[in-house]
Amino acid sequence: MTKAIKLLTALPQAQRERLMELAEEVSFPEDSRIFEAGGTADRFWVIRSGAVHLDQQVTSRQRVTVATLGAGDLLGWSWLFPPYQWDFGAVAFSNVRAYEFDGPSALALCVEDPLLGLSLVRSVAEILAHRLETTRGKLMDQYALGRRTPL
């Protein structure tokens, strides 16, 4: 399994400092919706404190939490790939403090500094690979639990 990484600590110091020039400190109160699946993805966050649930709408009345993110975690990657729409929703599980980054500004910085762009894309890819493996493991566990019941 891939190791969980934190975006800001994964970037080399020079690239981290350049990216942090774009950072704005923001906060979200507990139970506030940060974004909704299908909405325009034009920013991302690095959580400083608190917890965020990523969720998926299953029925018109039911959402399922697919991941919980905490301090140091990347929130949002859809800003990096067309069609720039959120794949999941996100809600603050507790009071959240975060660094917010404007997606188009970050993309422009990546074009201006290809080393930063490569480092950022690699780091996001590692984060996504880890989350995918974690989700796969949870699904396999759920499948195994379901198979233990008599047919």
Side-chain angles (χ1 to χ4, degrees):
M1 181 178 267
T2 59
K3 178 183 169 201
I5 67 166
K6 306 296 183 183
L7 179 66
L8 295 179
T9 57
L11 294 174
Q13 183 176 348
Q15 283 81 35
R16 180 174 53 249
E17 289 173 2
R18 291 223 45 212
L19 183 64
M20 286 304 294
E21 291 173 9
L22 302 177
E24 298 287 333
E25 292 187 29
V26 297
S27 61
F28 301 99
E30 182 177 353
D31 295 327
S32 65
R33 181 142 299 271
I34 300 168
F35 55 83
E36 187 66 68
T40 301
D42 61 355
R43 60 199 64 248
F44 65 99
W45 300 265
V46 174
I47 300 169
R48 296 176 59 215
S49 65
V52 173
H53 283 176
L54 295 180
D55 60 22
Q56 185 70 53
Q57 191 83 33
V58 178
T59 67
S60 62
R61 290 191 241 177
Q62 183 184 11
R63 293 180 189 268
V64 173
T65 298
V66 296
T68 300
L69 308 177
D73 286 334
L74 170 68
L75 171 60
W77 54 267
S78 298
W79 63 275
L80 192 54
F81 306 104
Y84 309 108
Q85 293 181 327
W86 301 118
D87 288 312
F88 300 98
V91 65
F93 182 69
S94 63
N95 291 327
V96 173
R97 293 176 39 222
Y99 292 119
E100 182 177 85
F101 299 87
D102 178 72
S105 297
L107 288 171
L109 186 60
C110 290
V111 170
E112 178 185 316
D113 183 346
L115 186 57
L116 170 61
L118 179 61
S119 296
L120 184 61
V121 169
R122 279 187 172 168
S123 296
V124 170
E126 285 185 55
I127 291 166
L128 292 177
H130 177 74
R131 289 186 187 168
L132 181 60
E133 287 183 13
T134 301
T135 301
R136 188 184 83 184
K138 288 179 183 178
L139 288 172
M140 290 174 69
D141 289 346
Q142 286 298 315
Y143 178 77
L145 287 173
R147 296 289 292 181
R148 288 187 189 138
T149 58
L151 296 176

